């Protein structure tokens, strides 16, 4: 469904992605794991059109995404939940959700998607008139995810959804990712909590300093000595 082939992305003169090649099949949950500065967020930003690679290709079901601007990539079916949530702090919950729906064609579709988000996150329904900046961290993560789902994505890019959340909320967010996936949304997940990510993923890629050093099924990665030592806290 999504394919990156020999992608080189730079920040100015800094060579952030050094020939990344990866693929995601329709219906999968795939996770990218790696330390800080490994290139995980850069990979998501390259897919979503926020960064343009100098070399390589990014295709969604065979269509070149690089030629599109970031907002046009959303029209193609790719939505991103950014690191740090990035909600519009001064807007209400409802207004944030409506901001995520700019690509929709009809009021009917808007209402249907809002209902779908409220079913997934009942707490957002209770707080729909509340200003987003006054929500808890967990509620803001729900809102950022709900906003991304408003655009009817075929593939959802999630950047560190558990960051800064209490353990009980981390479990809820990961359960929600599985629910989203079950209704047909493919997920590419970047997550520091490698153990949780591998518990719900089908496959994973390990990034180190802008390069993929390992790829396997999630089950095999959990058993891999290098992964256990570097990312799972196993001595």
């Amino acid at each position: 469904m999504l394919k990156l082939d020999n992608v080189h992305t730079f920040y100015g003169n800094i060579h952030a992605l050094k020939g990344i090649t990866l693929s995601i099949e329709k219906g999968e949950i795939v996770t990218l794991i790696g330390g800080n500065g490994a290139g995980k967020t850069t990979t998501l930003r390259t897919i979503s059109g926020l960064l343009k690679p100098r070399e390589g290709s990014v295709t969604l079901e065979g269509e070149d995404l690089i030629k599109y601007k970031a907002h046009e990539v959303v029209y193609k079916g790719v939505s991103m939940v950014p690191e740090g949530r990035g909600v519009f702090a001064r807007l209400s919950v409802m207004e944030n959700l409506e901001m995520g729906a700019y690509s929709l064609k009809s009021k009917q579709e808007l209402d249907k998607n809002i209902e779908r988000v409220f079913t997934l996150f009942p707490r957002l329904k209770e707080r729909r008139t509340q200003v987003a900046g006054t929500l808890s961290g967990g509620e803001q993560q729900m809102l950022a995810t709900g906003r991304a789902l408003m655009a009817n994505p075929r593939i959802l890019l999630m950047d560190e959804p558990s960051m800064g959340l209490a353990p009980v909320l981390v479990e809820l967010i990961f359960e929600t990712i599985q629910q989203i996936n079950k209704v047909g949304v493919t997920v590419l997940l970047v997550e520091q909590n490698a153990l949780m990510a591998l518990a719900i993923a089908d496959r994973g890629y390990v990034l180190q300093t802008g390069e993929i050093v390992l790829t396997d099924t999630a089950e095999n990665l959990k058993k891999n000595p290098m992964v256990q030592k570097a990312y799972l806290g196993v001595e």
Side-chain angles (χ1 to χ4, degrees):
M1 184 181 194
L2 181 74
K3 191 169 193 301
L4 278 69
D5 189 23
N6 192 34
V7 168
H8 291 260
T9 301
F10 289 73
Y11 289 100
N13 292 324
I14 298 167
H15 197 173
L17 297 184
K18 302 166 186 170
I20 293 276
T21 295
L22 61 84
S23 62
I24 299 160
E25 301 295 333
K26 191 172 181 178
E28 281 191 310
I29 299 177
V30 174
T31 185
L32 300 181
I33 56 178
N36 286 335
K40 305 184 302 296
T41 295
T42 306
T43 302
L44 297 191
R45 290 170 67 87
T46 301
I47 295 166
S48 63
L50 294 166
L51 292 170
K52 296 293 180 191
R54 287 194 196 170
E55 276 182 60
S57 63
V58 180
T59 54
L60 181 70
E61 293 183 329
E63 185 175 14
D64 174 23
L65 289 183
I66 294 172
K67 64 184 180 185
Y68 295 111
K69 293 176 180 170
H71 71 279
E72 293 169 328
V73 172
V74 176
Y75 283 98
K76 295 294 168 188
V78 181
S79 286
M80 181 153 146
V81 183
E83 182 182 356
R85 291 140 212 158
V87 298
F88 299 104
R90 295 185 180 184
L91 300 183
S92 71
V93 166
M94 274 297 275
E95 287 167 336
N96 266 272
L97 293 177
E98 286 165 357
M99 290 290 277
Y102 70 84
S103 62
L104 301 185
K105 301 281 191 294
S106 69
K107 172 87 166 58
Q108 190 180 1
E109 201 177 4
L110 173 72
D111 292 342
K112 187 183 88 178
N113 286 9
I114 284 173
E115 199 48 51
R116 184 173 73 152
V117 170
F118 284 162
T119 302
L120 200 57
F121 300 113
R123 209 177 300 187
L124 293 182
K125 188 171 187 177
E126 293 165 15
R127 288 160 170 68
R128 58 186 178 274
T129 59
Q130 193 169 325
V131 174
T134 63
L135 298 174
S136 71
E139 288 162 351
Q140 288 190 16
Q141 186 61 53
M142 293 172 198
L143 181 55
T145 306
R147 182 183 61 193
L149 290 172
M150 287 297 294
N152 287 334
R154 289 185 284 160
I155 183 159
L156 186 65
L157 312 177
M158 302 196 76
D159 196 357
E160 304 286 8
S162 78
M163 187 184 277
L165 300 186
V168 64
L169 282 173
V170 172
E171 284 191 23
L172 177 65
I173 289 295
F174 276 90
E175 282 169 18
T176 306
I177 294 168
Q178 287 176 293
Q179 281 179 276
I180 291 165
N181 180 246
K182 276 177 188 153
V183 297
V185 181
T186 305
V187 179
L188 178 57
L189 171 66
V190 161
E191 180 53 60
Q192 287 279 21
N193 188 334
L195 194 60
M196 289 288 280
L198 290 171
I200 67 164
D202 298 295
R203 294 185 301 113
Y205 290 87
V206 179
L207 270 74
Q208 285 180 359
T209 57
E211 297 179 87
I212 290 169
V213 294
L214 192 58
T215 177
D216 210 330
T217 64
E219 206 52 49
N220 285 346
L221 287 174
K222 277 191 280 189
K223 297 172 189 164
N224 182 286
M226 185 273 274
V227 173
Q228 287 185 338
K229 190 173 180 186
Y231 307 111
L232 304 182
V234 178
E235 289 303 323

